[in-house]
Amino acid sequence: MSASASSGPLLVISAHAGDFVWRAAGAIALAAARGDRAKVVCLSYGERGESARAWREGKRLEEIKRLRRDEAEAAAAELGAEIEFLDAGDYPLVESPELVDRLVRVYRDVEPAVVLTHTLADPYNGDHPAAARMALQARVLAQAIGYDAPGEPLGAPPVFFFEPHQPEQCDFKPNVLLDITSVFDRKRKAMECLPAQVHMWDYYTDLAKRRGVQLKRNAGPNLGLPHDTRAEAFVRLYPQTTTELA
Amino acid sequence: MSASASSGPLLVISAHAGDFVWRAAGAIALAAARGDRAKVVCLSYGERGESARAWREGKRLEEIKRLRRDEAEAAAAELGAEIEFLDAGDYPLVESPELVDRLVRVYRDVEPAVVLTHTLADPYNGDHPAAARMALQARVLAQAIGYDAPGEPLGAPPVFFFEPHQPEQCDFKPNVLLDITSVFDRKRKAMECLPAQVHMWDYYTDLAKRRGVQLKRNAGPNLGLPHDTRAEAFVRLYPQTTTELA
Amino acid sequence: MSASASSGPLLVISAHAGDFVWRAAGAIALAAARGDRAKVVCLSYGERGESARAWREGKRLEEIKRLRRDEAEAAAAELGAEIEFLDAGDYPLVESPELVDRLVRVYRDVEPAVVLTHTLADPYNGDHPAAARMALQARVLAQAIGYDAPGEPLGAPPVFFFEPHQPEQCDFKPNVLLDITSVFDRKRKAMECLPAQVHMWDYYTDLAKRRGVQLKRNAGPNLGLPHDTRAEAFVRLYPQTTTELA
Amino acid sequence: MSASASSGPLLVISAHAGDFVWRAAGAIALAAARGDRAKVVCLSYGERGESARAWREGKRLEEIKRLRRDEAEAAAAELGAEIEFLDAGDYPLVESPELVDRLVRVYRDVEPAVVLTHTLADPYNGDHPAAARMALQARVLAQAIGYDAPGEPLGAPPVFFFEPHQPEQCDFKPNVLLDITSVFDRKRKAMECLPAQVHMWDYYTDLAKRRGVQLKRNAGPNLGLPHDTRAEAFVRLYPQTTTELA
Amino acid sequence: MSASASSGPLLVISAHAGDFVWRAAGAIALAAARGDRAKVVCLSYGERGESARAWREGKRLEEIKRLRRDEAEAAAAELGAEIEFLDAGDYPLVESPELVDRLVRVYRDVEPAVVLTHTLADPYNGDHPAAARMALQARVLAQAIGYDAPGEPLGAPPVFFFEPHQPEQCDFKPNVLLDITSVFDRKRKAMECLPAQVHMWDYYTDLAKRRGVQLKRNAGPNLGLPHDTRAEAFVRLYPQTTTELA
Amino acid sequence: MSASASSGPLLVISAHAGDFVWRAAGAIALAAARGDRAKVVCLSYGERGESARAWREGKRLEEIKRLRRDEAEAAAAELGAEIEFLDAGDYPLVESPELVDRLVRVYRDVEPAVVLTHTLADPYNGDHPAAARMALQARVLAQAIGYDAPGEPLGAPPVFFFEPHQPEQCDFKPNVLLDITSVFDRKRKAMECLPAQVHMWDYYTDLAKRRGVQLKRNAGPNLGLPHDTRAEAFVRLYPQTTTELA
């Protein structure tokens, strides 16, 4: 597992403002470190469903949205990523052809080499599968030359689902473990940009350790892997294409 | 998908003498072309279950085994692989601790970087899952320092199931498509070393085309892929470990 | 399995007026017998899809709805439950944010300790999964302090799917068998409140016997269980939380 | 497997104009050959998502739709089938109660004895599952006497999913293999009515061979089956009902 | 669903002496009524695991085996079937190459057109899956010309799993419902040949009613089906091969 | 979730000497705290596969077995459990009727109210599923009055699979979360009795935290649950039987 050269843009499509940090900050920081464009699209701010503390403190809707936006922008900056907010509302995030069309335009603009999004099942949060369904639908539409949107037809970039909060309940069986040891410090700093969810910092630090232990167990002769290996887990949706089994 | 440097030995464990040709000749030829050691272990010759024509011609058991052996050796030579026959009998291939122990010793000797074997389900051929179960068990045993066999404890090489004859009935959902275009001629020649199964030559040539079409559909912007791309399909058993999503 | 003290309100969300009787009358009667509030919400009357006899007799839509309502109210009274009809139409029951919002308000009002609804798969009746999806979505929304509806944010009450008409075809694999022997007479009487579906009375009486036999087979040393044990089957959606394995 | 007498109308519901040719032309030609009515309903022309060549040639939307229509009509004529286009748009095919209602009316009119449609999963094409969901929902609605549409309530015709382009990725595990040898020439001619997709002619000819080989392997004592048996694969959704196991 | 002409021998392979009665008596009686040979092979008498009453009455092993044998022979005679006991012992039924070989010889002798056996999963009774595994393995071996046993190589007869006692827990999702109305009287009489399990008579009579109701729901326009339709449920293991979808 | 009275013996069947500590120490300590008998049966010491450090230090087989035994006995004592070693060998743990028979005798002696064992799938360790298969088979055999072993026929105690090292890869989807907060100190102390696996202490402490967070998310109104809730996860094999949904 050697260092990698640039391999093309990374696109992350998430339901709420904080998701990309807990679930994919390592992948994002790795892309940025390689010099690849990394773009995060948040369909909503998570203003209703993921901001319990702010509501308990009596904050109001617009204030909460601004707060979430600021935090997410700080985290994205920490990781070296662009971020865009579609402000489509959460709890529920309502699917619509218009919203899918906006995502098609993002695909045509970014021309991602890799796409990350939520799992298609999540019995704890209906917004997550809704975001995933739209992300997948838009990816297919963007491939059609006949779809009326600016830009060239998209290739067929691979899609990876990032890890949900309770993986087994979401039928999340990881088939890719990504070594994020070299950028874990940046992931931790990005997490610390989200002070309202301070209890998550350690939860996801522990998870990175746990996935790191598993990576070492699956890495074959792992002589080069350090004791404190950190990892993120993903599920690859489409078959991997390759010229070499490894 | 660029050319690859040497990445370590390939070990293929199959139930019968011909399996490695139909199901994995492309992967084997690619490894040999990279300069990697490729070793095929056949648990039996397929003398009873896979030699219908020879039986109909009135040949006898030892004659059939020799015939199968000769053909398989020729095919392996065509691919640049070593081949070893354990002559454990087929139809049924009976699992035993002794046979597993022999496989442990093969693992300790070859120290494979990649392992190929049958699927764990195959309602048409009980020898295939039996071979797979023993291949997997031996791989785990070979990792234990306390297991009493020569050589060093094995790392944890990735395992890929190669494609069975009726994939859907064997719950074979490919998650890796391997581009074998550059070595397909050698696969065809290896198939032609098995004249008793001439009806399979075109069947598996067609399959390579079919998997090639699918590879192109899953390969993202596939500008570089030729019209006649050829592929083999595999199922990866353990999570992929990587430093880059792609 | 001893008698139980009050454990909080039971909420049943169903697509049509009769569903709660065939599928959950025992659970409802048990709750009422414990002194717990039991509330049934019928999204429709089942006026188009579940009233074949009335249509064949030439009755008209409003008449059929009134008839179904009267019958369901009688059955609910027999069981000791409240009942509310949202009159959202059936065949098809159309999902909408407005209907989900009405359910959120029910959740906030009832504050259920337990929720019952349909399975998420039913190839014989699309209204059932539609009801289940809305029931589950509303439950999650009701937990968010930021969701704009009266009342306090909901806890996370357990959800149980009740038994569909052809369980295997709906991927219904029961993981809870509820002993309803003590209230089976009330279930039978509630069924008899639905004269238009007289052929179902024995069908669901036989089912209660069948599930009762299975309960005894799964109940460990079942010395205390009577010969005529009656049961209802459920699928628990979320993990059980407990202080004791049993 | 003897010749069959008339067994009632066949209804094929597909997303795009070409689908019925690649996936079900054999089943259609067999029905026509038996003297049964065969009706194909195309929800769209596939004008945006399945007409890449025409778009690259600079054709315009209406022109493309007309082209696709003409080709599909020629193919249907070759097979002896009626064809109707609902022109509901593709990429995306948007589900709506109105479109479902149109399908209900088709069901009530055709009174099919057998229904064919897409699989419920297809990660490469969201229109396919959308068509399947509407086809299945309309079938259930058409069975309800209370559903307000002309004609008699439908019986419960069996439903078969036809084969998607990448079957394993769509969880397509065939449980029916249909012998189309006697009509394969007509299927090939129908394919040749679609010149824009000439690369598919051989792909689906090869597939028919492949499924034919599998049919022979599953056909018991297959003395009567010719060497060049051709087949189409299907997944039966509901249980088969029969008076004889075979 | 018309009356059927002879279609070849039926072979039923079961773990214990009584299984064929509860699970497949209807299919057996239908075959006999068509004039087909029907042969039941019982791997054991069920002397330890299925004879609780006899043990409680103080009977001894040989006596119990004789009792079970007499009852099963009477039931088979009632159905018009041959029966053979391999007396391999139960609780546990131990798998062995020798026992599989005996089954191969049965296959070669009977040349079945249809095979019935247990499901591959049954968490309540390990003998059932053991019997199924051996039945399936022997069927594959009997197809090989190279397998050393008298008779001709077997074709590839379809296999159906019959219904276990708790179907959902055994992952039994019926895909065939067999109309046994015309022979249900004989099934009941065969059940009554097993007085030690009198509590099962009504349980399986109720089940036949239940499966009959389901058959009618899946039978399309079912004008000809009587109110008291009786059915048995099966799972078909291999794809159905046919010349007509129905 | 209130404190519990005695509910009967707990039986834990594991492959190796340390498994019960990492995977079930909380459940064991809870049982002991209630005054219930808790018995651990270790089929082997894990002398070959789970003692890498000792082998690297040059220790010999008998020494390693004694070491593992001493450690496990200390851990069991810490938890208040009995422990028995069957010394059947590991890597591989070979299944045999004799070993199953020994387990039947344990069941008949302990008469467990609850049984814990490994999952049936574990691609990292074949001994774990082998232990689980024997534990399940013996449980069924022990229920048969005709099985020749001392003691009374067993009831049908519920079985729970405890958590494997890489849960998702073992298809472990928890459906029971057990609150072990009150006994977590004892679990930690029991872990510390196993100094050779010091890297596991924190791994499983972190896991208990993680499962604790999940328990709180699934516990409904969880006002009473402390911030540092600790939990163990289990999969219940058979349906829960109950008189109350909760």
Side-chain angles (χ1 to χ4, degrees):
Chain A
M1 293 192 298
S2 60
S4 301
S6 167
S7 58
L10 172 68
L11 175 61
V12 183
I13 299 178
S14 72
H16 310 116
D19 291 325
F20 75 95
V21 182
W22 317 114
R23 316 192 183 299
I28 295 168
L30 281 173
R34 283 193 308 267
D36 287 325
R37 179 180 183 192
K39 169 144 190 177
V40 176
V41 175
C42 299
L43 290 161
S44 82
Y45 296 106
E47 59 267 23
R48 294 189 184 279
E50 316 260 298
S51 310
R53 180 194 286 194
W55 286 100
R56 279 196 300 267
E57 291 171 355
K59 294 206 172 60
R60 306 211 318 203
L61 186 62
E62 286 310 312
E63 191 178 2
I64 292 171
K65 287 164 73 169
R66 197 175 52 244
L67 188 74
R68 299 276 298 179
R69 177 182 192 113
D70 291 348
E71 291 176 3
E73 284 179 338
E78 190 65 54
L79 299 172
E82 302 166 41
I83 190 164
E84 180 179 354
F85 303 90
L86 299 193
D87 194 13
D90 77 327
Y91 267 63
L93 171 61
V94 179
E95 295 173 74
S96 72
E98 293 72 30
L99 200 47
V100 172
D101 182 68
R102 292 185 65 183
L103 290 176
V104 172
R105 288 156 196 274
V106 171
Y107 275 105
R108 289 269 179 95
D109 173 59
V110 175
E111 298 187 289
V114 171
V115 179
L116 308 183
T117 191
H118 294 275
T119 51
L120 286 166
D122 188 339
Y124 297 97
N125 193 317
D127 292 358
H128 292 167
R133 284 190 300 264
M134 288 191 284
L136 293 179
Q137 189 184 11
R139 173 185 166 282
V140 168
L141 297 181
Q143 295 180 54
I145 185 174
Y147 188 92
D148 187 17
E152 291 302 303
L154 188 69
V159 176
F160 298 86
F161 300 129
F162 43 61
E163 179 159 356
H165 198 67
Q166 297 192 48
E168 296 97 344
Q169 307 304 322
C170 301
D171 299 328
F172 182 82
K173 182 173 178 171
N175 55 22
V176 180
L177 294 168
L178 178 69
D179 188 333
I180 62 167
T181 311
S182 66
V183 296
F184 185 73
D185 285 352
R186 303 190 78 165
K187 175 162 187 169
R188 178 73 195 199
K189 281 190 192 134
M191 292 197 284
E192 292 174 0
C193 295
L194 307 179
Q197 293 167 288
V198 62
H199 59 289
M200 306 276 264
W201 301 357
D202 283 354
Y203 188 84
Y204 280 96
T205 297
D206 285 351
L207 179 62
K209 267 198 287 184
R210 181 171 173 73
R211 293 302 186 192
V213 170
Q214 294 174 358
L215 184 147
K216 286 193 288 183
R217 296 242 171 163
N218 286 285
N222 55 22
L223 301 174
L225 292 176
H227 177 262
D228 65 343
T229 296
R230 298 288 178 267
E232 283 175 345
F234 297 89
V235 169
R236 181 195 290 276
L237 175 57
Y238 297 98
Q240 179 189 8
T241 61
T242 182
T243 56
E244 180 180 354
L245 299 179
Chain B
M1 294 190 296
S2 60
S4 299
S6 166
S7 59
L10 172 70
L11 176 61
V12 182
I13 299 177
S14 71
H16 310 115
D19 290 324
F20 74 95
V21 182
W22 318 114
R23 316 194 182 297
I28 294 167
L30 281 173
R34 282 193 308 267
D36 286 326
R37 179 180 184 192
K39 169 145 191 179
V40 176
V41 175
C42 299
L43 291 160
S44 81
Y45 298 105
E47 59 268 22
R48 295 188 182 280
E50 317 259 296
S51 310
R53 180 194 284 198
W55 287 99
R56 279 197 298 269
E57 292 171 355
K59 294 201 173 63
R60 306 213 316 207
L61 185 61
E62 286 309 313
E63 192 179 359
I64 291 170
K65 287 165 71 167
R66 197 176 54 244
L67 188 76
R68 299 275 301 179
R69 177 183 191 115
D70 291 347
E71 291 176 2
E73 284 179 339
E78 190 66 52
L79 300 172
E82 301 166 42
I83 190 163
E84 181 179 354
F85 303 90
L86 300 193
D87 194 13
D90 77 328
Y91 268 63
L93 172 61
V94 179
E95 295 174 75
S96 72
E98 293 71 30
L99 200 45
V100 172
D101 182 68
R102 292 184 64 184
L103 290 175
V104 173
R105 288 158 196 270
V106 171
Y107 276 105
R108 288 270 178 95
D109 172 60
V110 176
E111 300 188 289
V114 171
V115 179
L116 308 184
T117 192
H118 294 274
T119 52
L120 286 166
D122 188 339
Y124 298 96
N125 194 317
D127 291 358
H128 293 167
R133 285 191 299 265
M134 288 190 286
L136 294 178
Q137 189 183 12
R139 173 185 167 280
V140 168
L141 297 181
Q143 295 179 54
I145 185 174
Y147 188 91
D148 186 17
E152 290 302 302
L154 189 70
V159 176
F160 299 85
F161 300 130
F162 43 62
E163 179 159 356
H165 197 67
Q166 298 192 48
E168 298 97 342
Q169 306 305 322
C170 302
D171 300 328
F172 182 81
K173 182 174 180 172
N175 54 24
V176 179
L177 294 168
L178 178 69
D179 189 333
I180 62 167
T181 312
S182 65
V183 296
F184 184 73
D185 285 351
R186 303 191 78 164
K187 174 161 187 171
R188 177 74 195 198
K189 281 187 192 137
M191 291 197 282
E192 293 174 0
C193 295
L194 308 179
Q197 292 166 290
V198 63
H199 60 289
M200 306 275 267
W201 300 357
D202 282 355
Y203 188 84
Y204 280 97
T205 298
D206 285 350
L207 180 62
K209 270 198 284 183
R210 182 172 171 75
R211 293 302 186 193
V213 171
Q214 294 173 358
L215 182 148
K216 286 193 286 182
R217 296 242 171 161
N218 287 286
N222 54 21
L223 302 174
L225 290 176
H227 176 261
D228 65 342
T229 297
R230 298 288 176 267
E232 282 175 347
F234 297 90
V235 168
R236 182 194 290 277
L237 175 59
Y238 297 98
Q240 178 189 9
T241 61
T242 183
T243 56
E244 179 180 355
L245 299 178
Chain C
M1 294 191 295
S2 60
S4 299
S6 167
S7 58
L10 172 69
L11 176 62
V12 183
I13 299 179
S14 72
H16 310 118
D19 290 325
F20 74 95
V21 182
W22 317 114
R23 317 194 182 295
I28 295 168
L30 281 173
R34 283 194 308 266
D36 286 326
R37 181 181 181 190
K39 168 144 192 178
V40 177
V41 175
C42 299
L43 289 161
S44 81
Y45 297 106
E47 60 268 21
R48 295 190 182 278
E50 316 261 296
S51 309
R53 180 194 284 197
W55 287 99
R56 278 197 298 268
E57 292 172 354
K59 295 202 171 61
R60 307 215 316 206
L61 187 61
E62 285 311 311
E63 192 179 1
I64 291 170
K65 287 165 73 169
R66 196 173 56 245
L67 188 75
R68 299 276 298 181
R69 178 184 190 112
D70 291 349
E71 291 175 4
E73 285 180 336
E78 189 66 52
L79 299 172
E82 301 167 41
I83 190 164
E84 181 179 352
F85 302 90
L86 300 193
D87 194 12
D90 77 328
Y91 268 62
L93 171 61
V94 179
E95 294 174 75
S96 72
E98 294 71 30
L99 199 47
V100 172
D101 181 68
R102 292 185 65 184
L103 290 176
V104 173
R105 288 157 196 272
V106 171
Y107 274 105
R108 289 271 178 93
D109 172 60
V110 175
E111 299 188 291
V114 172
V115 178
L116 308 184
T117 191
H118 295 274
T119 52
L120 286 165
D122 189 338
Y124 298 96
N125 193 317
D127 292 357
H128 294 166
R133 285 191 298 265
M134 289 191 284
L136 293 179
Q137 189 184 11
R139 173 183 166 281
V140 169
L141 297 180
Q143 294 180 53
I145 185 174
Y147 188 91
D148 187 18
E152 291 301 304
L154 189 70
V159 176
F160 298 86
F161 299 130
F162 43 62
E163 179 160 356
H165 198 66
Q166 298 192 47
E168 296 97 343
Q169 306 305 322
C170 301
D171 299 328
F172 181 82
K173 182 172 179 173
N175 54 23
V176 180
L177 294 168
L178 178 68
D179 189 332
I180 62 167
T181 312
S182 66
V183 296
F184 184 73
D185 286 352
R186 302 191 77 166
K187 175 162 187 169
R188 176 76 196 195
K189 281 188 189 137
M191 292 197 282
E192 293 174 0
C193 295
L194 307 179
Q197 293 167 289
V198 61
H199 60 288
M200 305 275 266
W201 301 357
D202 282 356
Y203 188 85
Y204 280 96
T205 297
D206 284 351
L207 179 62
K209 269 198 285 185
R210 180 171 172 76
R211 294 300 185 193
V213 170
Q214 293 174 359
L215 184 147
K216 286 193 288 182
R217 294 242 173 162
N218 287 286
N222 55 21
L223 302 173
L225 290 176
H227 176 263
D228 64 343
T229 296
R230 299 287 178 267
E232 283 175 347
F234 297 90
V235 169
R236 180 194 292 277
L237 175 58
Y238 297 98
Q240 178 189 10
T241 60
T242 182
T243 56
E244 180 180 355
L245 298 179
Chain D
M1 294 191 296
S2 59
S4 300
S6 166
S7 59
L10 172 70
L11 176 62
V12 182
I13 298 178
S14 71
H16 311 115
D19 290 325
F20 74 96
V21 181
W22 318 115
R23 316 191 185 298
I28 295 168
L30 280 173
R34 282 194 309 266
D36 286 327
R37 181 181 182 189
K39 170 146 191 177
V40 176
V41 175
C42 299
L43 289 161
S44 81
Y45 297 106
E47 60 268 23
R48 294 190 184 279
E50 316 259 299
S51 309
R53 180 194 286 197
W55 286 100
R56 279 197 298 267
E57 293 172 353
K59 294 204 171 61
R60 308 214 317 207
L61 186 61
E62 287 310 311
E63 193 179 0
I64 291 170
K65 288 164 73 169
R66 197 175 52 245
L67 189 75
R68 300 276 298 180
R69 177 184 192 113
D70 291 349
E71 291 176 1
E73 284 179 338
E78 190 65 54
L79 299 171
E82 302 167 40
I83 190 164
E84 181 179 354
F85 303 90
L86 299 192
D87 195 12
D90 78 326
Y91 266 63
L93 171 61
V94 179
E95 294 175 75
S96 72
E98 294 71 30
L99 201 47
V100 172
D101 181 68
R102 292 185 65 184
L103 290 176
V104 173
R105 288 158 197 271
V106 171
Y107 276 105
R108 289 271 178 94
D109 172 59
V110 176
E111 299 188 290
V114 171
V115 179
L116 307 183
T117 191
H118 294 274
T119 51
L120 286 166
D122 189 339
Y124 298 95
N125 193 317
D127 292 358
H128 292 167
R133 285 191 298 266
M134 289 191 283
L136 293 179
Q137 188 184 12
R139 174 184 165 281
V140 168
L141 297 181
Q143 294 180 55
I145 185 174
Y147 188 90
D148 187 17
E152 291 300 304
L154 189 70
V159 176
F160 298 85
F161 299 130
F162 43 61
E163 180 159 355
H165 198 67
Q166 298 192 47
E168 297 96 344
Q169 306 305 323
C170 301
D171 299 328
F172 181 81
K173 182 174 180 174
N175 55 23
V176 180
L177 294 168
L178 179 68
D179 188 333
I180 62 166
T181 311
S182 66
V183 296
F184 183 73
D185 285 352
R186 303 191 76 165
K187 175 161 187 169
R188 177 74 195 198
K189 282 189 191 137
M191 292 197 283
E192 293 173 1
C193 295
L194 308 179
Q197 292 167 290
V198 62
H199 59 289
M200 305 275 264
W201 301 356
D202 282 354
Y203 188 84
Y204 280 97
T205 298
D206 284 350
L207 180 62
K209 268 197 285 184
R210 181 171 171 76
R211 293 303 187 192
V213 171
Q214 294 173 358
L215 183 147
K216 287 193 286 182
R217 295 244 171 160
N218 287 285
N222 55 22
L223 302 175
L225 290 176
H227 176 262
D228 65 341
T229 296
R230 299 287 176 269
E232 283 175 348
F234 297 90
V235 169
R236 182 194 288 279
L237 174 57
Y238 298 97
Q240 178 189 10
T241 61
T242 182
T243 55
E244 180 180 353
L245 299 178
Chain E
M1 294 190 298
S2 59
S4 300
S6 168
S7 58
L10 172 70
L11 176 61
V12 182
I13 299 178
S14 72
H16 310 116
D19 290 324
F20 73 97
V21 181
W22 318 113
R23 316 195 183 296
I28 295 167
L30 281 173
R34 282 194 308 267
D36 287 327
R37 181 181 181 190
K39 170 145 189 179
V40 176
V41 174
C42 299
L43 290 161
S44 81
Y45 298 106
E47 60 268 22
R48 294 190 183 279
E50 316 259 297
S51 310
R53 181 194 284 195
W55 287 99
R56 279 196 297 269
E57 292 171 354
K59 295 203 171 61
R60 308 214 315 207
L61 186 61
E62 286 310 313
E63 192 180 2
I64 291 171
K65 286 165 72 169
R66 198 173 53 244
L67 188 75
R68 298 277 298 179
R69 178 184 190 112
D70 291 348
E71 290 176 4
E73 285 180 336
E78 190 66 53
L79 299 172
E82 301 166 41
I83 191 164
E84 181 179 353
F85 304 90
L86 299 192
D87 194 12
D90 77 328
Y91 268 64
L93 172 61
V94 179
E95 295 174 75
S96 72
E98 294 71 31
L99 200 45
V100 171
D101 181 67
R102 293 185 66 183
L103 290 175
V104 172
R105 288 156 196 271
V106 171
Y107 275 104
R108 289 270 178 97
D109 172 59
V110 175
E111 298 187 289
V114 171
V115 179
L116 308 183
T117 191
H118 294 273
T119 53
L120 286 166
D122 188 339
Y124 298 97
N125 194 318
D127 291 358
H128 293 167
R133 285 191 298 266
M134 289 190 284
L136 293 178
Q137 189 184 11
R139 173 185 166 279
V140 168
L141 297 181
Q143 295 180 54
I145 185 172
Y147 189 91
D148 187 18
E152 292 299 303
L154 190 69
V159 176
F160 298 86
F161 299 129
F162 43 62
E163 180 158 355
H165 198 67
Q166 298 193 48
E168 296 96 344
Q169 306 305 322
C170 302
D171 300 327
F172 182 82
K173 182 173 179 172
N175 55 23
V176 179
L177 295 168
L178 178 69
D179 189 333
I180 61 167
T181 312
S182 66
V183 296
F184 185 72
D185 284 354
R186 302 190 79 165
K187 174 162 187 170
R188 177 76 195 197
K189 280 187 192 140
M191 292 197 282
E192 292 175 0
C193 295
L194 308 178
Q197 292 167 289
V198 61
H199 60 289
M200 305 275 266
W201 301 357
D202 282 353
Y203 188 84
Y204 281 96
T205 298
D206 285 351
L207 179 61
K209 270 199 283 185
R210 180 172 172 76
R211 293 302 185 192
V213 170
Q214 294 174 358
L215 183 147
K216 287 194 286 182
R217 296 243 170 161
N218 287 286
N222 56 22
L223 301 174
L225 291 176
H227 176 263
D228 64 342
T229 297
R230 298 288 176 269
E232 283 175 347
F234 297 90
V235 169
R236 180 195 292 277
L237 174 58
Y238 297 97
Q240 179 189 8
T241 60
T242 182
T243 56
E244 180 179 354
L245 298 178
Chain F
M1 295 192 294
S2 60
S4 300
S6 167
S7 58
L10 172 69
L11 176 61
V12 182
I13 299 177
S14 71
H16 310 117
D19 291 323
F20 75 95
V21 182
W22 317 114
R23 316 192 184 297
I28 295 167
L30 281 173
R34 281 193 308 268
D36 287 326
R37 180 181 181 189
K39 168 144 191 177
V40 176
V41 175
C42 299
L43 289 161
S44 81
Y45 297 106
E47 60 268 22
R48 295 190 183 278
E50 318 259 297
S51 309
R53 179 193 286 198
W55 286 99
R56 280 196 298 268
E57 292 171 354
K59 293 202 173 62
R60 306 215 316 207
L61 186 62
E62 286 310 312
E63 194 180 359
I64 292 170
K65 287 165 72 168
R66 197 175 54 243
L67 188 74
R68 300 275 298 177
R69 177 183 191 114
D70 291 348
E71 290 176 3
E73 285 180 337
E78 190 66 53
L79 299 172
E82 302 167 39
I83 189 163
E84 181 179 352
F85 303 90
L86 300 192
D87 194 12
D90 78 328
Y91 268 61
L93 172 61
V94 179
E95 295 174 74
S96 72
E98 294 70 32
L99 200 46
V100 172
D101 181 68
R102 292 185 65 183
L103 290 175
V104 172
R105 288 158 196 271
V106 170
Y107 276 105
R108 289 271 179 93
D109 171 60
V110 176
E111 298 187 292
V114 171
V115 179
L116 308 183
T117 191
H118 294 274
T119 52
L120 287 167
D122 189 338
Y124 298 96
N125 193 317
D127 292 358
H128 293 168
R133 285 191 298 266
M134 289 191 284
L136 293 179
Q137 188 184 12
R139 172 185 167 279
V140 168
L141 297 180
Q143 295 179 53
I145 184 173
Y147 189 92
D148 187 19
E152 291 301 304
L154 189 69
V159 176
F160 298 85
F161 299 130
F162 43 61
E163 179 159 356
H165 198 66
Q166 299 193 47
E168 297 97 343
Q169 306 305 322
C170 302
D171 300 327
F172 182 81
K173 182 174 180 173
N175 54 22
V176 179
L177 294 169
L178 178 69
D179 189 333
I180 62 167
T181 312
S182 66
V183 296
F184 185 74
D185 285 354
R186 303 191 78 164
K187 175 163 188 168
R188 177 76 195 197
K189 280 188 191 139
M191 291 197 284
E192 293 173 0
C193 295
L194 308 178
Q197 293 167 288
V198 62
H199 59 290
M200 305 276 265
W201 301 356
D202 282 354
Y203 188 84
Y204 281 96
T205 298
D206 285 350
L207 179 62
K209 269 199 285 185
R210 180 171 172 76
R211 294 301 186 192
V213 170
Q214 294 174 357
L215 183 148
K216 286 194 287 183
R217 295 243 170 160
N218 287 285
N222 55 21
L223 302 174
L225 291 175
H227 176 262
D228 65 342
T229 296
R230 298 287 177 270
E232 283 175 347
F234 297 90
V235 168
R236 181 195 291 277
L237 174 59
Y238 297 98
Q240 179 188 9
T241 61
T242 182
T243 55
E244 180 178 354
L245 298 179

